Amino acid sequence: MGLIKAAVTAVRRYPVIFATIVVAVVVIVLSAAGSASAAKWLTIAFVSVVIAWTALGMIRDVMRGHVGLDILAVIAMVATLAVGEYIASLVIVLMLSGGEALEDYASRRAKRELTALLDRSPQRAHVLVHPNDPSSAESQDADVDDVRIGDILLVRPSEIVPVDGVLVAGTGSFDESSLTGESMPVSRTVGDEVLSGSVNGAQAVRLRATRRAADSQYQQVVALVRSAQESRAPVVRLADRFAIPFTLVSLVIAGAAWAIAGTPVRFAEVLVLATPCPLLIAAPVAFLGGLSRTARAGVIVKGGQVIEQLARVRSAAFDKTGTLTLGAPRLIDVRPEPGFDADGLLALAASAEEYSTHVLAAGIHAAAVERGLTLLPATTASEQATNGVTATIEGREIVVGKPAFVAQVAPGTVRAALDPGHAAAYVAVDGVFAGVLVLADAVRPESAAVVGWLRRTGVERVTMLTGDARSTAHSIAEQVGIDEVHAELLPAEKVALAGGMQPRPVMMVGDGVNDAPVLAAADVGVAMGARGSTAAGEAADAVVLKDSLRNLADAVSISRHTLQVAYVAIGIGIALSIGLMLVATTGVIPAVVGAFVQEGVDLATILYALRALRAPTADLAAPTADQTAAASSSASAGA
C-alpha cells in the first residue's frame, strides 16, 4: 500500500517523466511489432508538445528579462527529430524532466533547515481558565493568534512555547536550538523570559504572555524564513552572465561538426551534450544550501542576494552598545548635584526611563528596583530616539539623556569625567541640572576575535558608528581592535556615513530601533536579533538569532563558501559539456548515449552544489606566524 501511494505521489509530482516513460515503452513496442511509422509519429507528436511547452516557458523568462537557457534543449529536441533520432529525442525529454526532478530533490534537501523552522511554528496554546489558582491546571485550547498579553499559559512537557512570555511559577529547562543554534538546553527561573519556539523540558510550566504571536520571537523568525524562501537568488544574474556565451559556443561547435562531417546528424549528436543544468539548477541549489547552512548556524539570511553580498563584503561598520558590547549596562555610580540626593535622583530618572527604549534605560530601571525605590507614573512622556526621554512626573518635568539633549532645557549641564568604557545618563529636573548616572557595559568576549578575523579574511575597513560619547566609544574600540570611530551620531548621520563608506559592499551590524535606518541603508544590514527590536529585524538583511557576534563571522564564512561552490558548479558543468561536445564532433558519441551522458553531467554538478550544506564556520583563532606569512605570500601572488 505504501509503495502504491508513493508511486501515485511521484506521478503527480513528475507527470512529464511518467508520460515520457509510457510513450517510450509504446514506441519500443510499436517498433518491435513492425509499426515503425506509428512509433515515429507518436514520438514526433509527443516531443513537439514538450518543445512547445518548453518554448513557452522560455519566452516567459525572456519577457521577465532573463535569458531563456532552455533554448539549447529545444534546439537539441528539434535537431534529433529532424535527423530521425526519435529515441534520442525521447531521452532528451526524459533527461530534461529528470533534471527538474533532481532540482526538486536537491532543493528540498538544501532548504531542509529552513523548512524545519516553518514546520515547528506553534499553532495552539493552552490558556489557563483559573490563572490565579496555583492548584488548577484547567485550560482551554486557543489559536496562537488569539493569545493576549497577560494571559497565563500552560506549557506541557516537550511542547513548543507558543508566544514570548515570562515564567510565573517554578523552574524549567528549554531547548532553544531552533532559535539560537545552541544545542544545550537552558534553565529558566521565575521572572525569566522564555522565547516562543523554545521546546519545554520534562516539567509543565506556566508563563505569562508578554507579546502577541505576531510580535513574538519565533514568528519573527518564521517571517524571515518565508522571506528567504520566496526570494530569488542572484543565480539569475549568474545564469544570464554565462548563458549567451555558452549558447553561442555550443552552437558554433555543433555547426562546425556538421560542416566537417557533412551530415546534420553530427549537429544533433553534439548539441544533446550542451546542458544548461549547471546554470539552471546547480547554482540555485548551492544558494539554497547556503541559506539552510546559515540557518543551522543561527543566522537567518533573507535571500540569495544577501549571501552574495556577505561573501563580497569589503567594509564593516558596527554599532557599539548591544553589538560590540553585551548591551546590558549596569549602574555603578550616582552623582547628584547639590540639592538632590542619590536615591531621589535615581528614582526620578528610573521613572522617566520606563518610557524609553534605549539600552541604558534598562540598567537604570534595574538599579532602582534592586534598591527598592518606588517608581512613579508619568502623566506625559516622549522619547527622542538616541537622545533621551522627557516625562512629567507629579507635575515635575524630568529629562534624561545625552548631555547635549539635557542642556537644551538645563543650560547648567556639565559633562562628567568618565573612566574609559563608562557611559553616563544626564538628568534635569524642572530645567535644573540634577546629576549624572554612570553605567558600564562590558565588551563581548568574542568581539575582538571577530573583528580580527574579518580583517584577516579580506575586510579592508572596519569602523564603529555609535551615538554614544566619544570617550566611551574610543575605549571600547581600542579593546576590540577598531581604529576608526565615529561617535555621538544621530541616525541620519549614521546613514550618511554608511552610504559614503568605501570600499563596497558595506556590512552594518547593530540592534535596536535607532539602528533600523542604517541597517536598511547598508549593502548588508545585520541585526543582533536575540534581544534586538522588531524594527531592526525587519530592516536588516540578516538576523543573528543567538546573542553572539561569533555567528556573524560564521555567516560570512558560509556565504563565501556558498558563492565559491556556485561558481565552481557552473564551471564544472560548462567545462564537462564543452569537452564532451568536442569529443562528440568525432562521431564517437551517438545521440542516445549523449543524452544519457548529459544527465551524468547534471548529476555531477548538482551533487557538487550540495557541498554548500557543509560550508565551514569561521576559525576565529589568531593565525600563527607561519599562517600569517603564507597569507601574505598568497595575497602578494594574487596581486
Side-chain angles (χ1 to χ4, degrees):
M1 190 70 181
L3 289 175
I4 295 175
K5 185 177 180 180
V8 171
T9 301
V11 170
R12 288 177 177 173
R13 184 174 289 172
Y14 311 118
V16 177
I17 294 178
F18 177 74
T20 305
I21 293 173
V22 171
V23 170
V25 170
V26 172
V27 167
I28 292 172
V29 171
L30 289 174
S31 299
S35 302
S37 178
K40 166 187 171 182
W41 287 109
L42 175 61
T43 303
I44 291 174
F46 178 73
V47 176
S48 296
V49 170
V50 175
I51 290 172
W53 183 258
T54 306
L56 183 61
M58 186 176 65
I59 291 170
R60 287 174 182 159
D61 283 343
V62 171
M63 291 177 66
R64 286 196 295 262
H66 307 308
V67 177
L69 281 167
D70 281 331
I71 188 171
L72 290 173
V74 170
I75 295 174
M77 286 186 281
V78 171
T80 49
L81 287 179
V83 300
E85 293 281 356
Y86 303 116
I87 298 298
S89 66
L90 285 174
V91 174
I92 293 173
V93 174
L94 185 61
M95 296 303 101
L96 186 66
S97 55
E100 293 173 356
L102 281 173
E103 177 186 19
D104 181 57
Y105 165 77
S107 296
R108 283 187 282 115
R109 170 76 176 83
K111 60 184 181 182
R112 183 171 55 189
E113 276 76 17
L114 293 176
T115 303
L117 284 169
L118 293 178
D119 292 343
R120 286 163 53 90
S121 180
Q123 302 298 322
R124 306 290 290 174
H126 312 304
V127 181
L128 288 176
V129 177
H130 305 291
N132 297 321
D133 183 358
S135 63
S136 174
E138 184 182 353
S139 65
Q140 290 181 344
D141 284 357
D143 189 279
V144 69
D145 292 328
D146 294 333
V147 174
R148 297 168 299 180
I149 296 174
D151 282 349
I152 303 299
L153 310 179
L154 176 68
V155 183
R156 296 176 178 135
S158 301
E159 285 188 338
I160 298 174
V161 177
V163 298
D164 292 352
V166 294
L167 205 60
V168 295
T171 60
S173 176
F174 299 88
D175 177 2
E176 298 181 349
S177 58
S178 62
L179 292 167
T180 66
E182 176 59 58
S183 58
M184 298 298 293
V186 295
S187 297
R188 296 285 184 256
T189 58
V190 174
D192 286 346
E193 183 179 24
V194 180
L195 300 177
S196 61
S198 306
V199 179
N200 188 24
Q203 295 184 354
V205 297
R206 298 185 182 206
L207 304 175
R208 183 178 71 254
T210 56
R211 295 187 184 92
R212 296 183 61 85
D215 300 322
S216 290
Q217 180 79 1
Y218 201 80
Q219 293 304 321
Q220 298 300 318
V221 172
V222 166
L224 292 171
V225 170
R226 288 204 176 105
S227 174
Q229 286 196 323
E230 293 168 2
S231 71
R232 291 295 297 252
V235 292
V236 171
R237 290 188 289 108
L238 292 182
D240 291 351
R241 207 174 297 163
F242 291 99
I244 294 177
F246 179 65
T247 301
L248 292 177
V249 169
S250 301
L251 292 174
V252 167
I253 294 175
W258 182 356
I260 294 170
T263 172
V265 173
R266 196 62 48 82
F267 179 85
E269 290 174 346
V270 171
L271 211 56
V272 295
L273 289 159
T275 171
C277 176
L279 302 178
L280 290 174
I281 300 176
V285 165
F287 276 87
L288 281 172
L291 291 171
S292 188
R293 181 69 183 90
T294 54
R296 193 162 76 246
V299 183
I300 299 298
V301 177
K302 291 186 179 178
Q305 178 68 38
V306 182
I307 290 279
E308 185 177 25
Q309 290 286 69
L310 276 172
R312 301 183 188 279
V313 161
R314 290 293 173 267
S315 297
F318 290 87
D319 178 45
K320 182 186 74 67
T321 306
T323 304
L324 292 169
T325 66
L326 291 172
R330 294 184 60 84
L331 184 73
I332 60 173
D333 192 15
V334 180
R335 303 177 185 176
E337 289 293 297
F340 297 90
D341 66 273
D343 283 351
L345 178 66
L346 177 57
L348 289 173
S351 299
E353 290 284 51
E354 282 199 281
Y355 304 92
S356 172
T357 59
H358 194 277
V359 68
L360 294 183
I364 294 171
H365 182 272
V369 172
E370 287 175 5
R371 297 189 186 190
L373 302 178
T374 301
L375 302 186
L376 305 171
T379 53
T380 63
S382 63
E383 182 179 24
Q384 189 176 111
T386 78
N387 281 320
V389 63
T390 301
T392 302
I393 299 172
E394 293 190 333
R396 308 174 76 184
E397 184 185 58
I398 312 300
V399 180
V400 185
K402 293 181 179 178
F405 178 70
V406 174
Q408 292 175 5
V409 297
T413 300
V414 179
R415 282 181 178 267
L418 300 175
D419 293 333
H422 290 178
Y426 293 74
V427 185
V429 178
D430 288 334
V432 177
F433 177 49
V436 178
L437 308 177
V438 182
L439 302 96
D441 185 14
V443 172
R444 289 183 184 274
E446 74 278 6
S447 291
V450 170
V451 170
W453 181 84
L454 289 172
R455 290 189 187 279
R456 294 195 305 272
T457 57
V459 177
E460 301 171 31
R461 184 178 179 185
V462 181
T463 185
M464 179 192 291
L465 305 180
T466 179
D468 286 348
R470 286 185 176 83
S471 59
T472 302
H474 280 281
S475 172
I476 298 298
E478 184 178 355
Q479 294 178 59
V480 302
I482 294 177
D483 51 20
E484 181 182 348
V485 179
H486 300 273
E488 299 185 5
L489 299 175
L490 296 174
E493 293 172 323
K494 284 188 179 183
V495 170
L497 284 167
M501 193 174 293
Q502 294 292 335
R504 306 195 80 87
V506 174
M507 173 177 68
M508 176 68 200
V509 189
D511 73 335
V513 173
N514 60 342
D515 289 324
V518 69
L519 291 178
D523 297 317
V524 185
V526 181
M528 300 296 292
R531 291 183 303 188
S533 72
T534 300
E538 290 175 351
D541 301 299
V543 178
V544 179
L545 299 179
K546 190 174 180 179
D547 195 22
S548 171
L549 273 180
R550 165 71 197 238
N551 298 71
L552 168 69
D554 289 341
V556 173
S557 177
I558 292 167
S559 298
R560 289 170 177 170
H561 183 268
T562 298
L563 188 61
Q564 180 186 42
V565 166
Y567 273 111
V568 172
I570 291 173
I572 289 173
I574 290 177
L576 287 175
S577 294
I578 291 177
L580 289 167
M581 282 191 287
L582 291 174
V583 173
T585 60
T586 65
V588 299
I589 305 180
V592 174
V593 175
F596 281 107
V597 171
Q598 180 207 52
E599 189 67 5
V601 174
D602 293 352
L603 184 59
T605 55
I606 288 174
L607 289 176
Y608 185 87
L610 285 172
R611 291 183 70 246
L613 287 169
R614 300 190 299 274
T617 54
D619 181 7
L620 299 185
T624 63
D626 290 342
Q627 289 173 326
T628 303
S632 177
S633 175
S634 174
S636 299

